[in-house]
Amino acid sequence: SITNTYMKNLLLHEMTHILVFHPYLLEDLNMITKRNSVYYVSSTNVVLKARQHFNCPTMIGVPLENQGGESSAGSHWEARHMLGDYMISTDYIDIVLSDITIAMFEDSGFYEVEYYSGGLFKYGKNKGCDSINKKCIAQSGPLFEDEFCVTPNEPMCSSSRTFKGLCRIYDYSSSIPSEYQYFSNPKYGGFMPANYCPVADSELSKTDYYPTSCKIGSSELSSDYGEIIGDNSFCFISSLLPINSNNDVSSQAICYRVECDNNNKQIIVNIGSSSITCPTSGGTVTNPSGFKGSLKCPKYIDICSFEGNIICNGMFDCLNKKVKTSQDSYNYDESDDNIEDKSFRESVS
């Protein structure tokens, strides 16, 4: 259930604090470096995996959160650089496991690890050192248009494409810190833990934790839009409607079920009972047969890059499917009445 998924995510987060992600422990293990008032996890494999992920060979480490109180700052990843990893300091629509976090376990010396995270951590992937060193919003606009935004409530997909979101820009009660001001109004800013960068987000509620999840969320769209929530569904920016539809054509974040054509390196997008093939290099498909409007296609590797051709759209979904395809993996039971630490042990054993 949705509630159980939330509780498993929370359990994994808190267990990680107990087992490795604590500033005192990291300091005792000489895994932290301080430079220009910023604390970094600078251990060997964390640096290696971060350099590989961001494609930035000059990274000295991964920054720790520098905002919030004692329970936040220093004991989580800096969300500006690790948005979506389950070890940032607050709830966010993306909840994924990164190779960088797995590397922290290995570098502690206490655990043997298997570097399988499902490949869902896409934030900043291959975007180079600019993604680390430059501000998210410049005078010319967002640093990366698929990650940052300047138009309030513009439809967006999360970096992993597993959640639908909107560009969230808030009017804070007082001026935000000057180094994080990106708009003429000093009170305007985005997601606070990510240094107030405006990113895709959605409101979490106490009764429906993940309403915009492409796997376990819900759809409020009419059947004309062809939205499919469930296994192997991902978020797309689309205005597609059947030619005979009376609904208005406007771009939205919509979940469609995908298939990966590994031979031709193409994404097949299932829209209701129809399907559209995306170009390998991505791009906009306009007015495909039977439809009006357009679909923004990601690159093939943005969705179909999972190890062993597994398609998964959730942290536990990825681990569970990995278990089923690995003879040497331990049997992870995903049933609702078995909420234990098995998922965690799968990720670090």
Side-chain angles (χ1 to χ4, degrees), residues 31 33 35 38-44 46-48 50-51 54 56 58-64 77 81-82 100 132:
M31 293 172 63
T33 296
R35 183 174 295 183
V38 177
Y39 291 90
Y40 298 84
V41 177
S42 56
S43 54
T44 301
V46 167
V47 172
L48 175 64
R51 288 177 174 179
F54 294 102
C56 178
T58 60
M59 288 184 71
I60 64 168
V62 180
L64 294 172
W77 293 128
H81 299 101
M82 293 290 289
I100 297 167
I132 302 298

Side-chain angles (χ1 to χ4, degrees), residues 84-344:
D85 184 274
Y86 77 99
M87 289 310 297
I88 64 171
S89 63
T90 189
D91 288 329
Y92 183 62
I93 56 175
D94 263 350
I95 316 98
V96 299
L97 171 65
S98 69
D99 284 356
I100 297 167
T101 296
I102 296 176
M104 178 186 288
F105 282 96
E106 182 174 29
D107 285 345
S108 73
F110 301 138
Y111 310 98
E112 293 183 5
V113 306
E114 178 182 348
Y115 279 105
Y116 181 77
S117 59
L120 287 179
F121 185 60
K122 298 288 176 60
Y123 179 77
K125 186 172 178 62
N126 291 324
K127 287 191 162 63
C129 295
D130 283 354
S131 65
I132 302 298
N133 300 325
K134 289 190 174 182
K135 287 193 172 185
C136 57
I137 305 294
Q139 287 186 342
S140 58
L143 179 61
F144 305 112
E145 291 188 352
D146 60 338
E147 292 185 347
F148 308 115
C149 56
V150 293
T151 305
N153 297 321
E154 174 186 20
M156 297 181 68
C157 296
S158 68
S159 293
S160 70
R161 292 186 171 268
T162 60
F163 280 82
K164 300 178 290 183
L166 297 171
C167 175
R168 295 294 189 182
I169 299 176
Y170 304 98
D171 186 357
Y172 287 93
S173 58
S174 58
S175 295
I176 62 179
S178 58
E179 64 267 34
Y180 305 141
Q181 291 179 13
Y182 313 110
F183 302 97
S184 57
N185 187 329
K187 294 182 180 180
Y188 283 0
F191 190 56
M192 186 273 286
N195 294 349
Y196 294 91
C197 288
V199 295
D201 203 4
S202 66
E203 299 297 332
L204 301 180
S205 72
K206 294 181 179 179
T207 56
D208 191 359
Y209 291 104
Y210 304 121
T212 64
S213 165
C214 287
K215 180 177 177 62
I216 57 175
S218 57
S219 177
E220 298 178 354
L221 298 174
S222 73
S223 59
D224 271 5
Y225 291 90
E227 182 167 54
I228 302 173
I229 305 291
D231 282 350
N232 301 351
S233 287
F234 290 84
C235 177
F236 293 80
I237 302 301
S238 171
S239 62
L240 291 181
L241 284 168
I243 288 177
N244 59 0
S245 173
N246 293 322
N247 287 308
D248 293 332
V249 174
S250 60
S251 289
Q252 301 187 57
I254 300 181
C255 297
Y256 297 133
R257 185 170 56 83
V258 307
E259 300 171 42
C260 294
D261 180 347
N262 298 305
N263 293 326
N264 297 308
K265 304 300 180 185
Q266 294 176 318
I267 300 168
I268 300 172
V269 184
N270 293 282
I271 303 173
S273 59
S274 302
S275 64
I276 292 172
T277 300
C278 282
T280 302
S281 58
T284 300
V285 176
T286 303
N287 298 326
S289 177
F291 291 91
K292 57 184 177 181
S294 62
L295 170 71
K296 289 186 178 179
C297 289
K299 297 176 182 178
Y300 171 80
I301 59 172
D302 288 345
I303 288 183
C304 300
S305 60
F306 304 109
E307 181 181 322
N309 296 327
I310 297 170
I311 305 177
C312 56
N313 60 349
M315 179 162 60
F316 292 96
D317 182 41
C318 291
L319 295 175
N320 191 43
K321 287 178 177 176
K322 171 64 174 177
V323 169
K324 292 179 179 178
T325 58
S326 299
Q327 294 181 354
D328 59 348
S329 292
Y330 129 3
N331 184 23
Y332 166 56
D333 183 355
E334 201 182 35
S335 60
D336 288 344
D337 59 354
N338 192 34
I339 305 173
E340 299 178 359
D341 64 340
K342 294 180 179 179
S343 55
F344 180 82

Side-chain angles (χ1 to χ4, degrees), residues 24-43:
Y24 295 161
L25 175 60
L26 296 177
E27 287 179 2
D28 286 345
L29 295 172
N30 295 315
M31 293 172 63
I32 290 183
T33 296
K34 182 180 181 182
R35 183 174 295 183
N36 298 326
S37 300
V38 177
Y39 291 90
Y40 298 84
V41 177
S42 56
S43 54

